[in-house]
Amino acid sequence: MTAAENVCYTLINVSSDSEPPSEVSLKTDLEKGEIKAKTEALKKVIIMILNGEKLPGLLMTIIRFVLPLQDHTIKKLLLVFWEIVPKTTPDGKLLQEMILVCDAYRKDLQHPNEFIRGSTLRFLCKLKESELLEPLMPAIRACLEHRHSYVRRNAVLAIYTIYRNFEHLIPDAPELIHDFLVNEKDASCKRNAFMMLIHADQDRALDYLSTCIDQVHTFGDILQLVIVELIYKVCHANPSERARFIRCIYNLLQSSSPAVKYEAAGTLVTLSSAPTAIKAAAQCYIDLIIKESDNNVKLIVLDRLIELKDHPTHERVLQDLVMDILRVLTTPDLEVRKKTLQLALDLVSSRNVEELVIVLKKEVIKTNNVTEHEDTDKYRQLLVRTLHSCSVRFPDMAANVIPVLMEFLSDTNEAAAADVLEFVREAIQRFDSLRPLIIEKMLEVFHAIKTVKIYRGALWILGEYCSTKDDIQNVMTEVRRSLGEIPIVENEIKKETGEVKPEDEVSAAPAQKLVTEMGTYVTQSALSSSRPSKKEEDRPPLRGFLMDGDFYVAASLATTLTKLALRYVAIVQDKKKQNSFVAEAMLIMVTVLHLGKSSLPKKPITDDDVDRISLCLKVLSECSPLMNDIFNKECRKSLSHMLTIRLEEEKLSQKKESEKRNVTVQADDPISFMQLTAKNEMTSKEDQFQLSLLAAMGNTQRKEAADPLASKLNKVTQLTGFSDPVYAEAYVHVNQYDIVLDVLVVNQTSDTLQNCTLELATLGDLKLVEKPSPLTLAPHDFANIKANVKVASTENGIIFGNIVYDVSGAASDRNCVVLSDIHIDIMDYIQPASCTDAEFRQMWAEFEWENKVTVNTNIIDLNEYLQHILKSTNMKCLTPEKALSGFCGFMAANLYARSIFGEDALANVSIEKPIHLGPDAPVNGHIRIRAKSQGMALSLGDKINLSQKKMTI
């Protein structure tokens, strides 16, 4: 082990601006000062030793003048001092003075004050010199019988560490601790003693557990946790012991401590795959989620449930618990609700779908009554999407769901209403039997729709699917009602001049008599308004949209009226009625055109909308069979085609998911029989406790890619040249939010390098956690120095610095070797993710940072270039494969990724193959990247620029 890797127990913050004191002044303070002065001097000595100073002259001074003092603060500081001070001579022999120290600590172990005894015992755990510990053994043993639990539990820890490091000093430790455990009453002492037996003598620990296995539920939670660990380890090493302890684990599921319940449930799942065990563990997890207030705990435990669901044999057991899982929706946190709904949707089956839909309907209704919270709208959106998915998978449920959801079309939250509209559109196309119900509900809520986008979609649905005479006439009535009195321009001018009062207008037109039922009207008391100058509040919804200059809805209205008129002509044989209906439709279009061309709206009508309305007028005036087919058949065919493709994609993704989860066993795979398996083979399964410990330390064993370029050597960066006096290279290990630099430093000279220090600085959102300590390098010696860097966001970071050192015996100033920069690759933080088209478009509009990268590559195939970009940037392609298949000379695709810090990255690839330059011409075009932060957009652009060209090996 190198000097830089020596175990450090105590970290002390040092202010860098303070002047280091001299050894003489410290000696004076330690000898003759008051207690306060001695305390301050001792603190300074400790800091100087930690910074690499030796100070051998002060050792005897401290033993003579400080060690005999009874002040508690000084005694605590002395424990730190003896921990860090060099205790051996250069040749490795113990210093003679340490005998005096040893005697002082023997007295402290017999001190009447329990705090001094306990803290001394804790200090002895850190000693690595057996010669110092040997004389203290009788006093340590005696502390096991002390009246105070603080002393006893630290005595157990001291005996454990001494037994682990120097077994010959106390060979009977397991027996001693076993006897102590049997008679001990304090929970913390029992826990420490039991933990020692687990690691030192597992058989004795099992013997003790066997004697009290029925009382385990009465123990304290800290002891119960250690018992769970023991049972897991024993059953992991020897599966035949499972039957002996599984009942104990079941009992611990009822523990009052959430930590014990969580660990017991996790252990139970690994020990048994019986349905009763899985159900008990899942039930325990669900109770924990509901009862724990911390959202992080809820998310962690939900992940455990999701892991259980991913196991094919456990999924059916969890399906019976769907209703219990839905109890988690009482949590106000959106992330928890999102995961819960996704889990419930994955577990839904024909057996429980009805109950699930009932609960979700109640939740949707609840969101309508609560006071507006920032997450209420998003939660409603989640519920709508979940109900949508349920109805698509189980069509029988659609009839129950649609009436409830259609109330939300009039919601002020456009996102939730848009989801409802999308669901309604799919349902009305897919389920013929529900069309009359949907149209009836749509006509009921049509007048209350408040947002133009939803209004436009509702118009399209009514125009496309109203097929009876009554429905068509009802739609026309609703349109007239939403438009107000026509012609619009004349009516608006009259209102401006005050010739027509709002009350007169309402009473004059028979279609306006229901105006008081309109949601916008009743709340604003429009009928009693006496303000003739401002009429915005009084306007019907459609007229309001048009007056605001939103004429896209007018184009949609024209298409709807054209479809309805063509269908009406086909249904009704009476020529007079036909002409009357077509004339009314044309009148509405003309009056809208007139309004668009006038100066009344806030924005004039666009040329596109004028063309669309003019086309509809032409179609109605000619009524050709070809146009009839295009308007009434081809539109629906396009929708049907789109929905079919989307359904196929969903089925394909579900199939891939199920294939991933299915455990495939090859015909020639060996069969393992538990009874015939040797003990050492049973331990091949991974130890969960060990894995979680490694994960916490950042030492997870990742499977290295088969490609040699992706191995560890690819992460090594050379920092200095081979001809430099000090050679250095760094291995950069990225572990989520931490970067560990393992720097190899080699002394290439024949001199001893003293105070060799690695000095680092960072650029970007990186922060150096601690300064690497200096070390001494012998001629041609080498050492490893580790440095930790914290990462705060996804952007390219740079670590730079130098190595400074002194040459022993040289009179010159310090020498310095400048290091090459280490560039931190953002690809370690970016992970592929998926989102819907609507979410992508919304984020694209919201994100303010854009980086446009010009394609500059030697790849000649469009698809190959796209795959190369996906591989280089860790992004996921959202554009379906069917849309990218085939060859037409150009390609457009949307890419999406998310960083581990929760930052989103969007990219749009627009590339083409310049055919006129020949078949070997490279791809050209642009990639536009959008992100919330500037660093993310620039870093991703730099990454694409660097990796655009295909490497030829």
Side-chain angles (χ1 to χ4, degrees), residues 54 60 79 145 177 207 293 365 425 540 594 629 663 893 919:
K54 297 288 186 270
M60 229 22 239
L79 293 177
E145 294 163 16
I177 295 298
D207 290 343
S293 56
I365 292 162
R425 186 185 68 182
H594 185 199
D629 276 359
V663 181

Side-chain angles (χ1 to χ4, degrees), residues 775-808:
L775 42 89
T776 301
L777 285 176
H780 303 292
D781 191 10
F782 63 90
N784 281 72
I785 303 174
K786 285 192 176 169
N788 288 304
V789 178
K790 282 277 180 196
V791 188
S793 70
T794 316
E795 60 177 80
N796 285 337
I798 300 172
I799 302 171
F800 56 93
N802 48 46
I803 293 175
V804 291
Y805 59 90
D806 296 324
V807 179
S808 60

Side-chain angles (χ1 to χ4, degrees), residues 749-802:
T749 67
S750 305
D751 301 314
T752 300
L753 306 184
Q754 294 179 332
N755 291 329
C756 185
T757 310
L758 175 68
E759 295 180 345
L760 295 173
T762 57
L763 195 68
D765 225 339
L766 304 174
K767 184 182 177 186
L768 197 65
V769 177
E770 56 186 324
K771 187 180 172 186
S773 53
L775 42 89
T776 301
L777 285 176
H780 303 292
D781 191 10
F782 63 90
N784 281 72
I785 303 174
K786 285 192 176 169
N788 288 304
V789 178
K790 282 277 180 196
V791 188
S793 70
T794 316
E795 60 177 80
N796 285 337
I798 300 172
I799 302 171
F800 56 93
N802 48 46

Side-chain angles (χ1 to χ4, degrees), residues 415-435:
D419 279 339
V420 173
L421 199 69
E422 193 178 323
F423 170 37
V424 168
R425 186 185 68 182
E426 190 167 344
I428 202 168
Q429 170 64 22
R430 197 169 281 173
F431 314 127
D432 292 349
S433 57
L434 294 178
R435 281 181 190 173

Side-chain angles (χ1 to χ4, degrees), residues 406 409 420-426 428 438-439 442 454-466 556 560 563-564 567 636 639:
M406 286 187 71
L409 284 175
V420 173
L421 199 69
E422 193 178 323
F423 170 37
V424 168
R425 186 185 68 182
E426 190 167 344
I428 202 168
I438 293 173
I439 287 168
M442 183 73 84
I454 308 306
Y455 198 92
R456 215 166 52 226
L459 266 176
W460 187 90
I461 289 171
L462 288 171
E464 189 63 49
Y465 293 99
C466 285
S556 182
T560 299
K563 288 178 185 176
L564 291 174
R567 212 169 290 136
R636 200 175 300 184
L639 174 66

Side-chain angles (χ1 to χ4, degrees), residues 639-824:
L639 174 66
S640 177
H641 183 57
M642 186 195 80
L643 293 175
T644 309
I645 289 172
R646 189 184 291 177
L647 196 65
E648 281 175 13
E649 281 172 13
E650 283 175 13
K651 283 180 180 173
L652 194 66
S653 63
Q654 283 173 4
K655 190 180 174 186
K656 282 180 182 174
E657 281 294 316
S658 60
E659 281 173 2
K660 271 185 198 173
R661 282 159 49 194
N662 286 342
V663 181
T664 51
V665 182
Q666 299 299 329
D668 54 351
D669 278 357
I671 302 171
S672 61
F673 295 93
M674 195 181 288
Q675 290 82 353
L676 305 177
T677 313
K679 263 192 180 180
N680 58 348
E681 288 176 33
M682 287 180 180
T683 57
S684 61
K685 202 178 171 190
E686 291 167 318
D687 185 339
Q688 295 301 317
F689 280 92
Q690 196 64 27
L691 283 178
S692 58
L693 181 64
L694 286 172
M697 293 165 65
N699 293 337
T700 43
Q701 297 295 316
R702 294 181 184 172
K703 289 179 183 173
E704 295 295 341
D707 180 9
L709 292 174
S711 70
K712 278 190 173 186
L713 291 174
N714 197 35
K715 300 273 185 180
V716 173
T717 308
Q718 187 178 334
L719 302 178
T720 65
F722 292 113
S723 58
D724 284 314
V726 177
Y727 172 76
E729 63 182 29
Y731 167 62
V732 184
H733 175 73
V734 178
N735 179 43
Q736 287 212 330
Y737 305 103
D738 300 309
I739 298 171
V740 179
L741 295 180
D742 191 350
V743 184
L744 171 70
V745 181
V746 183
N747 178 7
Q748 300 198 106
T749 67
S750 305
D751 301 314
T752 300
L753 306 184
Q754 294 179 332
N755 291 329
C756 185
T757 310
L758 175 68
E759 295 180 345
L760 295 173
T762 57
L763 195 68
D765 225 339
L766 304 174
K767 184 182 177 186
L768 197 65
V769 177
E770 56 186 324
K771 187 180 172 186
S773 53
L775 42 89
T776 301
L777 285 176
H780 303 292
D781 191 10
F782 63 90
N784 281 72
I785 303 174
K786 285 192 176 169
N788 288 304
V789 178
K790 282 277 180 196
V791 188
S793 70
T794 316
E795 60 177 80
N796 285 337
I798 300 172
I799 302 171
F800 56 93
N802 48 46
I803 293 175
V804 291
Y805 59 90
D806 296 324
V807 179
S808 60
S812 62
D813 292 336
R814 299 199 78 181
N815 298 284
C816 177
V817 178
V818 180
L819 306 178
S820 300
D821 297 345
I822 301 172
H823 292 266
I824 303 302

Side-chain angles (χ1 to χ4, degrees), residues 71-179:
D71 182 74
H72 286 198
T73 309
I74 283 187
K75 280 196 174 291
K76 187 73 177 168
L77 285 170
L78 279 171
L79 293 177
V80 179
F81 174 76
W82 295 121
E83 179 192 330
I84 62 170
V85 76
K87 303 171 192 68
T88 55
T89 57
D91 56 357
K93 289 181 181 175
L94 195 71
L95 290 168
Q96 295 295 322
E97 293 92 335
M98 296 313 290
I99 306 295
L100 299 168
V101 178
C102 187
D103 187 57
Y105 282 116
R106 188 175 52 76
K107 288 175 184 170
D108 278 351
L109 288 173
Q110 295 161 348
H111 199 283
N113 183 291
E114 63 270 7
F115 168 73
I116 289 174
R117 276 204 193 197
S119 52
T120 306
L121 285 163
R122 286 177 74 86
F123 159 69
L124 295 179
C125 294
K126 304 169 186 178
L127 283 184
K128 295 286 179 280
E129 289 79 24
S130 59
E131 300 97 317
L132 282 177
L133 291 167
E134 195 168 1
L136 304 174
M137 291 317 299
I140 295 171
R141 281 170 178 266
C143 286
L144 282 176
E145 294 163 16
H146 192 270
R147 60 184 171 76
H148 204 284
S149 62
Y150 179 69
V151 177
R152 295 200 303 276
R153 72 167 176 260
N154 282 310
V156 172
L157 282 179
I159 288 171
Y160 173 39
T161 50
I162 292 166
Y163 177 76
R164 194 175 58 188
N165 296 327
F166 314 106
E167 192 176 332
H168 64 279
L169 293 180
I170 184 164
D172 61 335
E175 188 182 343
L176 181 71
I177 295 298
H178 183 267
D179 296 341

Side-chain angles (χ1 to χ4, degrees), residues 19 21 40 61-62 78 235 341 453 500 507 686 806 888 903:
E19 189 68 31
E40 288 303 315
T61 307
I62 288 171
L78 279 171
C235 297
L341 286 172
K453 185 179 173 185
V500 176
S507 57
E686 291 167 318
D806 296 324
C888 61
E903 299 167 302

